[in-house]
Amino acid sequence: MKIAVIGSNGQLGTDLLTTLNKYPHIKPLSITHQDIEVSNQKSVKNQLYELKPNIVINCAAFHQIDECEKNPNLAFQINTLGALNVAQVCSELNAFCVYISTDYVYNGNKKSPYTESDATSPINIYGTSKLAGEHITSQKCPDSLIIRLSSLFGKAGSKGKGGNFIEAIINKAKTEGRLQVVNDIFISPTYTVDAATTILKLIERKAKGLVHVTNSIPSDCTWFTLAKQTLEFCKIDAQIDAISSNDYPSVANRPIYSVLDNQKAEHITGIRIPDWVDAVKRYLMEKQYIH
């Protein structure tokens, strides 16, 4: 069984490869941006035809939210046209296609976790380009799985963003001793180790269609909650102030509430996905911030 991971050196891709290597019957195929340009049909075709994978997990994305707003053409080239090219070739090769999407396909007006049956209505270019990628993947490759993730953190860090939120918080707390963090945007933080494990279990169970994969949320979590919990675990004595998202203007609109319900994923896999607090602790242990 050959499973190709496009974007294999990114935050999620790194942990997908690590997890895949634990399966003796699977041959993981690493595809980085150096190997493939997803927005170029010929590049996708050449690479995938040469490797002939049974399954392709498409993690390639332009996910710098504000940059997507400034450069919508690039966002649609990678997130939508890229999805089309990968799905098209998967269809030709009879390969199962897994497309990695986002919580940003929702507008954030709901006040309880979004389920897979909730209506989508993105409020920024990034979310719009990813939602278009979902539709195209499903249309071109009906034998596919769409995974929506949220607020990722993992050891590799985000290639486009130069790290992740937890790393940024620890760094700022240590260097400046005081932080201001938004406390009115509700999220479901997701550890890439848990996301990778769940995605591969879903593939194993031959899941198709749309599935939300996030760590469980026992109670409301904002960026402030996540930052506070991180500093508590690390025993870093820094002042942390809760601020409104209005105090932190950005180019792109962001949904105020984009928590994802993960019950469908748990039901299909039969496994409870750990809660985000436990996930943060394990991440900090993995990075040796705590023991």
Side-chain angles (χ1 to χ4, degrees), residues 150-151 153 165-166 187-191 194 214-230 232-233 259 262 272-284:
S150 168
S151 315
F153 58 92
F165 177 78
I166 291 178
I187 56 169
S188 21
T190 305
Y191 186 20
D194 295 334
T214 66
N215 282 106
S216 300
I217 305 286
S219 57
D220 283 345
C221 175
T222 65
W223 291 112
F224 174 82
T225 321
L226 176 55
K228 195 163 179 285
Q229 183 64 71
T230 298
E232 281 176 17
F233 275 139
V259 178
N262 66 7
R272 188 188 172 276
I273 306 173
D275 70 59
W276 72 269
V277 177
D278 175 72
V280 169
K281 187 176 184 179
R282 282 180 290 116
Y283 169 80
L284 294 170

Coordinates of all heavy atoms in Angstrom, one line a residue, residues 150-151 153 165-166 187-191 194 214-230 232-233 259 262 272-284:
S150 N -8.5 22.4 12.5 CA -8.6 23.7 13.1 C -7.4 24.0 13.9 O -6.9 23.1 14.7 CB -9.9 23.8 13.9 OG -9.9 24.9 14.8
S151 N -6.8 25.2 13.8 CA -5.8 25.7 14.8 C -4.7 24.7 15.1 O -4.6 24.3 16.3 CB -6.5 26.2 16.1 OG -7.7 26.9 15.8
F153 N -1.2 22.7 15.7 CA 0.2 22.9 16.3 C 0.9 21.6 16.2 O 0.3 20.5 16.5 CB 0.1 23.5 17.7 CG -0.6 22.7 18.7 CD1 0.0 21.7 19.5 CD2 -2.0 22.8 18.9 CE1 -0.7 20.9 20.4 CE2 -2.7 22.1 19.8 CZ -2.0 21.1 20.6
F165 N 1.4 29.0 16.9 CA 0.9 29.9 18.0 C 1.6 29.6 19.3 O 2.0 30.5 20.0 CB -0.6 29.7 18.1 CG -1.2 30.6 19.2 CD1 -1.4 32.0 19.0 CD2 -1.5 30.0 20.4 CE1 -1.9 32.7 20.1 CE2 -2.1 30.8 21.5 CZ -2.3 32.2 21.3
I166 N 1.7 28.3 19.7 CA 2.3 28.0 21.0 C 3.8 28.4 21.1 O 4.2 29.0 22.1 CB 2.2 26.4 21.2 CG1 0.7 26.1 21.5 CG2 3.0 26.0 22.4 CD1 0.4 24.6 21.7
I187 N -11.9 28.6 19.3 CA -11.2 27.7 18.4 C -11.2 26.3 19.0 O -11.6 26.0 20.1 CB -9.8 28.1 18.2 CG1 -9.1 28.2 19.6 CG2 -9.7 29.5 17.5 CD1 -7.6 28.4 19.5
S188 N -10.8 25.3 18.1 CA -10.5 24.0 18.6 C -9.1 23.6 18.3 O -8.8 23.2 17.2 CB -11.5 22.9 18.1 OG -12.1 23.3 16.9
P189 N -8.1 23.9 19.2 CA -6.7 23.6 19.0 C -6.5 22.1 18.7 O -7.1 21.3 19.3 CB -6.1 24.0 20.3 CG -7.0 24.8 21.1 CD -8.4 24.3 20.6
T190 N -5.7 21.9 17.7 CA -5.5 20.5 17.2 C -4.0 20.2 17.1 O -3.3 20.8 16.3 CB -6.2 20.3 15.9 OG1 -7.6 20.7 16.1 CG2 -6.2 18.8 15.5
Y191 N -3.6 19.1 17.8 CA -2.2 18.6 17.8 C -2.1 17.7 16.5 O -2.9 16.8 16.3 CB -2.0 17.8 19.1 CG -0.6 17.3 19.3 CD1 0.5 17.8 18.7 CD2 -0.5 16.3 20.3 CE1 1.8 17.4 19.0 CE2 0.8 15.8 20.6 CZ 1.9 16.3 20.0 OH 3.2 15.9 20.3
D194 N -2.2 13.9 16.9 CA -3.6 13.3 17.0 C -4.4 13.4 15.7 O -5.1 12.5 15.4 CB -4.4 14.1 18.1 CG -3.7 13.9 19.5 OD1 -3.1 12.8 19.7 OD2 -3.9 14.7 20.4
T214 N -10.5 17.2 15.0 CA -9.8 18.1 16.0 C -9.7 17.4 17.3 O -10.4 16.4 17.6 CB -10.7 19.4 16.2 OG1 -11.9 19.1 16.9 CG2 -11.0 20.1 14.9
N215 N -8.9 18.0 18.2 CA -8.9 17.5 19.6 C -10.2 17.9 20.2 O -10.9 18.9 19.8 CB -7.8 18.1 20.4 CG -6.4 17.5 20.1 OD1 -5.6 18.0 19.4 ND2 -6.2 16.3 20.6
S216 N -10.6 17.1 21.2 CA -11.9 17.4 21.9 C -11.9 18.7 22.7 O -10.8 19.1 23.2 CB -12.3 16.2 22.8 OG -12.4 15.0 22.0
I217 N -13.0 19.3 22.8 CA -13.1 20.6 23.6 C -14.1 20.4 24.8 O -15.3 20.5 24.6 CB -13.7 21.7 22.7 CG1 -12.9 21.8 21.4 CG2 -13.8 23.0 23.4 CD1 -11.6 22.5 21.5
P218 N -13.5 20.1 26.0 CA -14.4 19.9 27.1 C -15.1 21.2 27.5 O -16.2 21.2 28.0 CB -13.4 19.5 28.2 CG -12.1 19.8 27.8 CD -12.1 20.0 26.3
S219 N -14.5 22.4 27.3 CA -15.2 23.7 27.5 C -14.6 24.7 26.5 O -13.6 24.4 25.9 CB -14.9 24.1 29.0 OG -13.5 24.2 29.2
D220 N -15.3 25.8 26.5 CA -14.8 26.9 25.5 C -13.4 27.2 25.5 O -12.8 27.3 26.6 CB -15.6 28.2 25.7 CG -17.1 28.1 25.2 OD1 -17.3 27.1 24.4 OD2 -17.9 28.9 25.6
C221 N -12.8 27.3 24.4 CA -11.3 27.6 24.3 C -11.1 28.8 23.3 O -11.6 28.7 22.2 CB -10.5 26.4 23.9 SG -8.8 26.7 23.6
T222 N -10.4 29.8 23.8 CA -10.0 30.9 22.9 C -8.5 30.9 22.8 O -7.8 30.1 23.4 CB -10.5 32.3 23.5 OG1 -9.7 32.5 24.7 CG2 -12.0 32.3 23.8
W223 N -8.0 31.8 21.9 CA -6.5 31.9 21.8 C -5.9 32.3 23.2 O -4.8 31.8 23.5 CB -6.2 33.0 20.8 CG -6.5 32.6 19.4 CD1 -7.5 33.1 18.5 CD2 -5.9 31.5 18.6 NE1 -7.5 32.5 17.3 CE2 -6.5 31.5 17.3 CE3 -4.9 30.6 18.9 CZ2 -6.2 30.6 16.3 CZ3 -4.5 29.7 17.9 CH2 -5.2 29.7 16.6
F224 N -6.6 33.1 23.9 CA -6.2 33.5 25.3 C -6.1 32.2 26.2 O -5.1 32.0 26.9 CB -7.1 34.5 25.9 CG -6.8 34.9 27.3 CD1 -5.8 35.8 27.6 CD2 -7.5 34.3 28.4 CE1 -5.5 36.1 29.0 CE2 -7.2 34.6 29.7 CZ -6.2 35.5 30.0
T225 N -7.2 31.4 26.2 CA -7.2 30.2 27.0 C -6.0 29.3 26.6 O -5.4 28.7 27.5 CB -8.5 29.4 26.7 OG1 -9.6 30.3 26.6 CG2 -8.8 28.4 27.8
L226 N -5.8 29.1 25.3 CA -4.7 28.3 24.9 C -3.3 28.9 25.3 O -2.5 28.1 25.8 CB -4.7 28.2 23.4 CG -3.6 27.4 22.7 CD1 -3.4 26.0 23.2 CD2 -3.8 27.4 21.1
A227 N -3.2 30.2 25.2 CA -1.9 30.8 25.7 C -1.7 30.6 27.2 O -0.6 30.3 27.6 CB -1.9 32.3 25.3
K228 N -2.7 30.9 27.9 CA -2.7 30.8 29.4 C -2.3 29.4 29.8 O -1.4 29.2 30.7 CB -4.0 31.2 30.0 CG -4.0 31.5 31.5 CD -5.3 32.3 31.8 CE -5.3 32.6 33.3 NZ -5.7 31.4 34.1
Q229 N -2.9 28.4 29.2 CA -2.7 27.0 29.6 C -1.2 26.6 29.2 O -0.6 25.9 30.0 CB -3.6 26.1 28.8 CG -3.5 24.6 29.2 CD -3.8 24.3 30.6 OE1 -5.0 24.3 31.0 NE2 -2.8 23.9 31.4
T230 N -0.7 27.1 28.1 CA 0.6 26.9 27.7 C 1.6 27.4 28.7 O 2.6 26.7 29.1 CB 0.9 27.5 26.3 OG1 0.0 26.9 25.3 CG2 2.3 27.3 25.9
E232 N 1.1 28.1 31.9 CA 0.9 27.4 33.1 C 1.7 26.1 33.1 O 2.4 25.7 34.0 CB -0.5 27.1 33.4 CG -1.3 28.3 34.0 CD -2.8 28.0 34.2 OE1 -3.2 26.8 34.1 OE2 -3.5 29.0 34.3
F233 N 1.6 25.3 32.0 CA 2.3 24.1 31.8 C 3.8 24.3 31.9 O 4.6 23.5 32.5 CB 2.0 23.4 30.5 CG 0.7 22.5 30.6 CD1 -0.2 22.5 29.5 CD2 0.5 21.7 31.7 CE1 -1.3 21.7 29.6 CE2 -0.6 20.8 31.7 CZ -1.5 20.9 30.7
V259 N -15.3 26.5 16.2 CA -15.1 25.2 16.9 C -15.7 24.1 16.1 O -16.9 24.2 15.6 CB -15.7 25.2 18.3 CG1 -15.5 23.9 19.0 CG2 -15.0 26.3 19.1
N262 N -16.2 16.9 16.6 CA -15.4 15.8 16.1 C -16.1 14.4 16.4 O -15.5 13.3 16.2 CB -14.0 15.7 16.7 CG -14.0 15.5 18.2 OD1 -15.1 15.2 18.8 ND2 -12.9 15.6 18.9
R272 N -11.7 7.7 21.0 CA -11.9 9.0 21.5 C -10.6 9.9 21.2 O -9.5 9.5 21.6 CB -12.2 9.0 23.0 CG -12.6 10.4 23.5 CD -12.7 10.4 25.0 NE -12.9 11.8 25.4 CZ -11.9 12.7 25.6 NH1 -10.6 12.4 25.4 NH2 -12.2 14.0 26.0
I273 N -10.8 11.0 20.6 CA -9.7 11.9 20.3 C -9.4 12.7 21.6 O -10.4 13.3 22.2 CB -10.0 12.9 19.2 CG1 -10.5 12.1 17.9 CG2 -8.8 13.7 18.9 CD1 -10.9 13.0 16.8
P274 N -8.2 12.7 22.1 CA -7.9 13.4 23.4 C -8.3 14.8 23.4 O -8.3 15.5 22.3 CB -6.3 13.2 23.5 CG -6.0 12.1 22.6 CD -7.0 12.1 21.5
D275 N -8.5 15.4 24.6 CA -8.9 16.8 24.6 C -7.7 17.7 24.4 O -6.5 17.2 24.5 CB -9.7 17.1 25.9 CG -8.8 17.1 27.2 OD1 -7.8 17.9 27.2 OD2 -9.0 16.3 28.1
W276 N -7.9 19.0 24.1 CA -6.9 19.9 23.7 C -5.8 20.1 24.8 O -4.7 20.4 24.5 CB -7.4 21.2 23.1 CG -8.1 22.1 24.2 CD1 -9.4 22.1 24.5 CD2 -7.4 23.1 24.9 NE1 -9.6 23.1 25.5 CE2 -8.4 23.7 25.8 CE3 -6.1 23.6 25.0 CZ2 -8.1 24.7 26.7 CZ3 -5.8 24.6 25.9 CH2 -6.8 25.1 26.7
V277 N -6.3 20.1 26.1 CA -5.4 20.4 27.2 C -4.3 19.3 27.3 O -3.1 19.5 27.4 CB -6.1 20.5 28.5 CG1 -5.2 20.7 29.7 CG2 -7.1 21.7 28.5
D278 N -4.8 18.0 27.2 CA -3.9 16.9 27.1 C -3.0 17.0 25.9 O -1.8 16.6 26.0 CB -4.7 15.6 27.1 CG -3.9 14.3 26.9 OD1 -3.2 14.0 27.9 OD2 -3.9 13.7 25.9
A279 N -3.5 17.4 24.8 CA -2.7 17.5 23.6 C -1.6 18.5 23.7 O -0.4 18.3 23.3 CB -3.6 17.9 22.4
V280 N -1.9 19.7 24.3 CA -0.9 20.7 24.5 C 0.2 20.2 25.4 O 1.4 20.4 25.2 CB -1.5 22.0 25.1 CG1 -0.5 23.0 25.6 CG2 -2.4 22.7 24.1
K281 N -0.2 19.5 26.5 CA 0.8 18.9 27.4 C 1.8 18.0 26.7 O 3.0 18.1 26.9 CB 0.1 18.2 28.6 CG 1.1 17.8 29.7 CD 0.3 17.2 30.8 CE 1.2 16.8 32.0 NZ 0.5 16.2 33.1
R282 N 1.2 17.1 25.9 CA 2.0 16.1 25.1 C 2.9 16.8 24.1 O 4.1 16.4 23.9 CB 1.2 15.1 24.5 CG 0.7 14.0 25.4 CD -0.2 13.0 24.8 NE -1.5 13.5 24.3 CZ -1.9 13.5 23.1 NH1 -1.1 13.1 22.1 NH2 -3.1 14.0 22.8
Y283 N 2.4 17.9 23.5 CA 3.2 18.7 22.6 C 4.4 19.3 23.3 O 5.6 19.2 22.8 CB 2.4 19.8 21.9 CG 3.2 20.8 21.1 CD1 3.7 20.5 19.8 CD2 3.6 22.0 21.7 CE1 4.4 21.4 19.1 CE2 4.3 22.9 21.0 CZ 4.7 22.6 19.7 OH 5.5 23.5 19.0
L284 N 4.2 19.9 24.4 CA 5.2 20.6 25.2 C 6.3 19.6 25.7 O 7.5 19.9 25.8 CB 4.6 21.3 26.4 CG 3.8 22.5 26.0 CD1 3.0 23.1 27.2 CD2 4.6 23.6 25.3

